[in-house]
Amino acid sequence: MKIKTISAIIAIIILPNIHTMAQNTLADATKGKFLFGVAVNMQQVNGVNPKESELIAKEFNAIVAENCMKPQLIHPEENRYEWADADKVVAFGEKNKQVVTGHCLIWHSQIAKWFFVDDSGKDVTPEVLKERMRQHIYTIVGRYKGRIKGWDVVNEAFEDNGTYRNSKFYRILGKDFIKYAFQFAHEADPDAELYYNDYNVETPAKCEAIAELVKELKAAGVRIDAVGSQAHMQMDSPTLDATETSFKKLKAAGVKILITEWDISILPNPYSGANISVNFKYSPEMDPYRVAVPDSVQQKWNKRVLDMFGLFLKYSDVVDRVTVWGLNDAVSWLNNFPIRGRKDYPVLFDRNNQPKSVVDEMIKMAKKI
Ligand code: G3I
């Protein structure tokens, strides 16, 4: 056979499988179904590693700041806001023609102490806290009015058993703090979408409580567009069934669904009950893939990704966005949580910024539907 013919055959077999050469991205493949986004850190926004910044620009059509818009960072003192990083994130998204969303306005965690206390250190009255929330939300949402598509207005207000988290917001204002937050956000930017965001949304009692909240807000005439399911997943939980059940429940409550912080840890899971705010001690048995991930485990992870992604596609009438929590395995928060210093492989690009093989399969899957 002539060399030309052999090269042609090789090209026919190999080319469609080479992600970069085919110029296919997940953002392209999912167009018309949902946005495909990524959480960005400041090194990436600042171009410290240009390869990462380019990859974010090329592969995703939505971004969210992983940290810099959280209350503690953007509003560290009552009369001080730190805008520099958040401004850069919004400008970075605009430069790349990406949809930018805001994370997050009201969260019990990553919020400075001043928010809840007076000069003598005592808890403030409900009126004072409500007014602080109003100022906080008006100022932040107002600054980015028209530039941010939607906000995670309240983050993680429920326990997994469906009760309200006993946060300072809840203790001082009762459950109405959620309603106030949504009202203030809507007043500050009437065109912005508003989201309630939480983890373990697949847990039946929690999902029920969130669906109930959605109904209550709607009945009170308060805008809520979507529920964000963080979707921090493990190899064995949540099940596909539980995830689908949660989608059905939220869809029935009349909101869109966002997959806001998707990752799938490949490592052994130290918690039963999956409370993601607990830390555990390091041990080598809990960190088995320091050198490499065995093929059988990798295949299992790939299947899990494809199963979940297939579900997102199946519900693309209500799933508006899928955002991965971190560009590559190296920057993922899961290397340090719930055990510090492990080596996890939870997202779609590897430590050399190469797409994992599953990415091409996802692209094919998205294009078929
Ligand atoms: O930037 C400082 C650095 O200067 C310092 O030396 C270092 C020492 O620990 O800390 C660095 O800040 C860390 C920051 O991440 C940036 O890496 C904080 O300690 C650390 O607490 C923070 O963790 C973030 C965590 O939220 C807490 O806000 C993770 O990056 C971020 O991925 C994670 O994201 C949350 C979502 O917002 C809500 N849903 C759960 C999700 C995972 O916990």
Side-chain angles (χ1 to χ4, degrees), residues 166-213:
N166 193 19
S167 68
K168 283 267 185 178
F169 287 113
Y170 183 73
R171 287 208 291 277
I172 298 175
L173 279 169
K175 68 174 189 171
D176 278 352
F177 84 88
I178 301 179
K179 185 177 76 183
Y180 300 145
F182 278 82
Q183 282 169 337
F184 294 149
H186 184 56
E187 284 160 19
D189 184 355
D191 294 329
E193 292 185 354
L194 307 180
Y195 319 131
Y196 173 78
N197 196 50
D198 214 327
Y199 62 84
N200 290 349
V201 169
E202 306 81 7
T203 310
K206 193 170 202 171
C207 190
E208 187 67 47
I210 294 171
E212 209 41 52
L213 169 73

Side-chain angles (χ1 to χ4, degrees), residues 136-357:
H136 172 80
I137 293 172
Y138 270 36
T139 308
I140 298 169
V141 175
R143 182 175 182 92
Y144 300 112
K145 188 167 187 269
R147 300 173 71 194
I148 286 203
K149 181 182 182 189
W151 286 94
D152 291 344
V153 178
V154 174
N155 197 34
E156 303 175 2
F158 290 105
E159 299 287 355
D160 285 356
N161 65 9
T163 59
Y164 281 93
R165 182 187 295 280
N166 193 19
S167 68
K168 283 267 185 178
F169 287 113
Y170 183 73
R171 287 208 291 277
I172 298 175
L173 279 169
K175 68 174 189 171
D176 278 352
F177 84 88
I178 301 179
K179 185 177 76 183
Y180 300 145
F182 278 82
Q183 282 169 337
F184 294 149
H186 184 56
E187 284 160 19
D189 184 355
D191 294 329
E193 292 185 354
L194 307 180
Y195 319 131
Y196 173 78
N197 196 50
D198 214 327
Y199 62 84
N200 290 349
V201 169
E202 306 81 7
T203 310
K206 193 170 202 171
C207 190
E208 187 67 47
I210 294 171
E212 209 41 52
L213 169 73
V214 168
K215 289 180 201 156
E216 279 175 26
L217 290 176
K218 282 177 174 278
V222 177
R223 177 171 182 168
I224 174 165
D225 295 273
V227 167
S229 169
Q230 294 183 6
H232 294 295
M233 299 179 168
Q234 280 94 42
M235 292 291 264
D236 49 4
S237 82
T239 63
L240 202 57
D241 275 357
T243 310
E244 178 155 19
T245 304
S246 71
F247 285 8
K248 285 183 181 155
K249 181 139 239 127
L250 295 172
K251 183 175 171 176
V255 269
K256 297 281 183 150
I257 299 167
L258 309 173
I259 304 301
T260 50
E261 306 182 12
W262 193 33
D263 46 30
I264 304 181
S265 174
I266 207 165
L267 294 177
N269 167 13
Y271 30 59
S272 55
N275 180 345
I276 75 161
S277 53
V278 176
N279 250 297
F280 295 83
K281 270 218 165 99
Y282 182 90
S283 69
E285 308 83 73
M286 296 306 276
D287 188 20
Y289 312 130
R290 288 223 71 92
V291 180
V293 178
D295 194 51
S296 60
V297 179
Q298 187 61 56
Q299 293 310 324
K300 197 176 162 210
W301 186 88
N302 290 359
K303 180 172 184 319
R304 189 113 170 97
V305 169
L306 292 174
D307 284 351
M308 285 297 168
F309 188 64
L311 190 67
F312 305 159
L313 288 169
K314 181 175 170 189
Y315 282 82
S316 60
D317 60 327
V318 278
V319 173
D320 253 14
R321 169 166 56 92
V322 174
T323 290
V324 181
W325 204 243
L327 174 65
N328 63 35
D329 288 340
V331 301
S332 168
W333 72 295
L334 288 167
N335 294 304
N336 288 307
F337 199 88
I339 298 175
R340 283 198 80 80
R342 295 198 298 176
K343 190 167 178 186
D344 207 340
Y345 302 79
V347 291
L348 300 176
F349 288 79
D350 68 18
R351 285 175 166 75
N352 296 314
N353 288 311
Q354 294 304 308
K356 295 182 183 174
S357 64

